[in-house]
Amino acid sequence: MKKRFLSAMLSVAMAASLVTGCAGSSSGTADTKAENAKTGDTKADGGAEAEKKDTQAASGEYVTLTVMDGYAPEDPHGQYIYQYAEEFMKENPDIKVEIQAIASGDIYTKLAAMATSPDDLPTMFFTSADQVPTLYDLGLTEDLANWMDKEAIDGLANGVMDACTIDGQMTYYPVAVQPQAVIYRMDRFEEAGLEVPATWDEFVDCAKALTKDSDGDGQVDQWGFSMVGSNNSSGQSRFMSYLWSSGYELAYREDGSDEWKTDITTDPAFVDVFSKWTDMNNVEGVVPTGITEVDYPTAANYFAMGYTSMFLTGPNALGVAYANNPELKGKLGSFKLPGEYSGTMLGAEGYAIITKSTDAQKAAAAKYLEFFTSHDKDMKFWESSGKIPSTTEGQKVSYITGDDYAGFLKQIEDGCRPTLAFAGISGLKSALGDAYAAVFSNEKTNGQAVEQLVKDLGQLLEDYN
């Protein structure tokens, strides 16, 4: 297939429906309307401390919650961020919610830069299991166990509380879980006589069988695997999942030890595993052309438009696929990552409260989070995004009971990896991204890239030991 043709088609699709994922989208600021709100005397419905605190900073004044929100600029579910905020303010006229729409991938960088300027910090911010350890290490995350209502905490689904806990503190309140799995075209698997792969070798074989010239013009226009090959958080996280599922621990501490270690070495066995990933582009040709430019939105659109047949991703990509191509309903399934080991954390994501916020803001923020996850019985935010609710009650919703969610739910049932509470996780991901990117661009061989990766990780772990 010609790259220009793909780019042109994607421009049309993305103009019709702007799609973002882990990598986010362009940022902006959107203030929810609250000009007509009136002051009140509402009490926070939080923990033992919080229930004694008035959400008003002073009589006749609003408590203002500024929310740095990675969901807000995303389609189609971003609209519900504003809708829920408006509905919350109607019920709580003494609280004003200001949504700051910002690409989720930019939040960590922005907060890290703002950490030394507390007056500029928001009240709350979007975060996830792979970002929060560093933000916790910077002292930005309040212990929500002191503010959230016990009923709200007890209502979280199995494993969710563990996913957001570091050193015994509830660092954020998850509203959704995003374990990694592979979504695939069941119709194409059936047509090709393929079985769901249990190993990465079988996965590559399936990808080869699904890579073809579908229109007979002599050029490949359909690929087996919608790989995210960009050197950013989205690409790096997927590569991490691949390595975990292959049995490699990227950063770990042995029981009773404070020293961080890694399984990544220049051993030929690891070089082979590393090479299997990069070879899918450089040797096998089972991923779309221009792989270094394929970020999450692009890969998700490739899958939605039928250019690819498998996609390693969170369940949010199902929302993207159906929004862009409703005809895919009934044609999609999902399966656990190949390999003998769990390749995914639970992927809990939600909101943290900034430690430097006032008590009134913390109480109001806790109340807002409880409202967010409980008031919409139709679960419109979750269904439109394809995300899986974080609560036990939410996971009973009908839209996640089909073949398309089966692999994600199976992964949750079988168990996900514990949250990697390594404060240097952003550096770890960057080192992994630099390694595969160097091979994709033919700057290094697989062996050379692994050698550099081992050096980079060695220095990183030394910095945190």
Side-chain angles (χ1 to χ4, degrees):
M1 190 207 75
K2 299 98 175 165
K3 188 175 176 182
R4 289 181 183 175
F5 172 72
L6 258 181
S7 299
M9 291 301 293
L10 277 174
S11 296
V12 174
M14 296 175 81
S17 176
L18 176 62
V19 176
T20 61
C22 296
S25 69
S26 60
S27 62
T29 301
D31 186 352
T32 53
K33 306 295 183 182
E35 290 82 351
N36 297 322
K38 299 178 180 178
T39 57
D41 193 31
T42 307
K43 299 286 185 181
D45 191 19
E49 274 189 73
E51 65 186 11
K52 298 178 182 179
K53 297 182 174 66
D54 197 312
T55 58
Q56 288 181 276
S59 178
E61 295 182 3
Y62 292 115
V63 170
T64 298
L65 304 180
T66 53
V67 186
M68 191 176 286
D69 206 310
Y71 293 134
E74 298 180 350
D75 285 334
H77 50 284
Q79 62 183 309
Y80 296 109
I81 298 301
Y82 298 99
Q83 179 180 319
Y84 292 176
E86 292 285 357
E87 291 169 351
F88 175 77
M89 288 189 292
K90 288 179 181 177
E91 291 191 15
N92 300 273
D94 58 325
I95 304 173
K96 181 179 180 181
V97 181
E98 296 179 350
I99 304 296
Q100 299 176 349
I102 181 171
S104 58
D106 294 338
I107 289 178
Y108 160 77
T109 304
K110 194 170 182 68
L111 285 172
M114 296 168 70
T116 56
S117 303
D119 291 341
D120 297 329
L121 289 167
T123 313
M124 300 165 56
F125 62 90
F126 168 88
T127 191
S128 57
D130 63 344
Q131 294 178 324
V132 78
T134 304
L135 299 171
Y136 167 78
D137 194 57
L138 288 171
L140 294 177
T141 59
E142 177 72 14
D143 184 359
L144 269 64
N146 295 327
W147 299 96
M148 301 298 298
D149 185 75
K150 183 177 184 300
E151 184 177 350
I153 294 176
D154 291 345
L156 293 172
N158 184 40
V160 174
M161 188 63 177
D162 291 338
C164 64
T165 300
I166 300 178
D167 296 336
Q169 294 190 29
M170 186 179 185
T171 56
Y172 66 107
Y173 185 72
V175 300
V177 294
Q178 290 258 74
Q180 298 282 322
V182 178
I183 60 175
Y184 72 106
R185 289 287 296 269
M186 292 191 301
D187 55 335
R188 292 180 178 176
F189 264 62
E190 183 177 356
E191 180 182 341
L194 299 173
E195 299 290 335
V196 168
T199 68
W200 283 104
D201 285 333
E202 292 176 359
F203 180 91
V204 173
D205 288 341
C206 287
K208 289 179 181 179
L210 294 165
T211 300
K212 61 178 65 177
D213 169 17
S214 66
D215 59 10
D217 69 352
Q219 296 189 11
V220 172
D221 55 13
Q222 180 181 300
W223 291 267
F225 180 31
S226 211
M227 177 187 282
V228 177
S230 55
N231 186 6
N232 59 15
S233 182
S234 294
Q236 297 156 7
S237 295
R238 285 164 172 78
F239 188 51
M240 286 177 66
S241 290
Y242 164 72
L243 294 177
W244 279 333
S245 68
S246 299
Y248 288 89
E249 293 298 326
L250 308 177
Y252 66 95
R253 288 184 293 195
E254 295 176 338
D255 291 344
S257 174
D258 291 330
E259 182 181 3
W260 287 100
K261 297 182 178 181
T262 183
D263 285 346
I264 306 305
T265 69
T266 55
D267 183 274
F270 177 73
V271 175
D272 285 346
V273 169
F274 182 95
S275 302
K276 192 185 301 294
W277 185 263
T278 57
D279 283 354
M280 282 193 271
N281 175 73
N282 291 21
V283 177
E284 307 295 352
V286 298
V287 303
T289 55
I291 190 60
T292 57
E293 300 174 11
V294 180
D295 55 9
Y296 169 81
T298 305
N301 274 286
Y302 281 170
F303 184 81
M305 296 165 68
Y307 293 127
T308 56
S309 299
M310 293 188 291
F311 186 19
L312 194 171
T313 186
N316 58 308
L318 291 168
V320 172
Y322 296 141
N324 281 276
N325 188 358
E327 293 182 1
L328 290 177
K329 283 283 189 179
K331 296 180 180 179
L332 302 184
S334 63
F335 57 85
K336 289 173 54 178
L337 267 65
E340 298 180 34
Y341 306 89
S342 176
T344 179
M345 295 186 289
L346 188 60
E349 58 183 34
Y351 297 93
I353 300 176
I354 290 284
T355 51
K356 294 179 172 59
S357 301
T358 67
D359 283 354
Q361 287 175 319
K362 291 173 184 177
K367 190 171 188 178
Y368 175 68
L369 292 176
E370 292 161 11
F371 177 89
F372 188 100
T373 53
S374 64
H375 88 287
D376 182 3
K377 303 307 179 186
D378 293 330
M379 307 298 287
K380 293 176 182 176
F381 166 79
W382 293 267
E383 183 170 11
S384 66
S385 66
K387 299 176 187 293
I388 297 175
S390 63
T391 62
T392 300
E393 194 62 29
Q395 290 185 6
K396 297 176 183 177
V397 69
S398 61
Y399 77 85
I400 62 174
T401 59
D403 290 330
D404 46 359
Y405 282 88
F408 298 103
L409 297 180
K410 179 63 174 172
Q411 183 63 73
I412 293 173
E413 178 186 341
D414 289 353
C416 298
R417 299 178 54 83
T419 297
L420 178 57
F422 176 46
I425 190 169
S426 61
L428 168 62
K429 293 170 71 173
S430 292
L432 291 171
D434 290 345
Y436 67 67
V439 178
F440 285 152
S441 60
N442 293 311
E443 296 176 17
K444 287 183 172 70
T445 64
N446 286 301
Q448 291 170 337
V450 170
E451 286 182 7
Q452 186 61 52
L453 174 60
V454 170
K455 291 179 183 178
D456 291 344
L457 291 184
Q459 182 61 57
L460 180 68
L461 296 183
E462 184 178 329
D463 291 342
Y464 282 88
N465 281 330

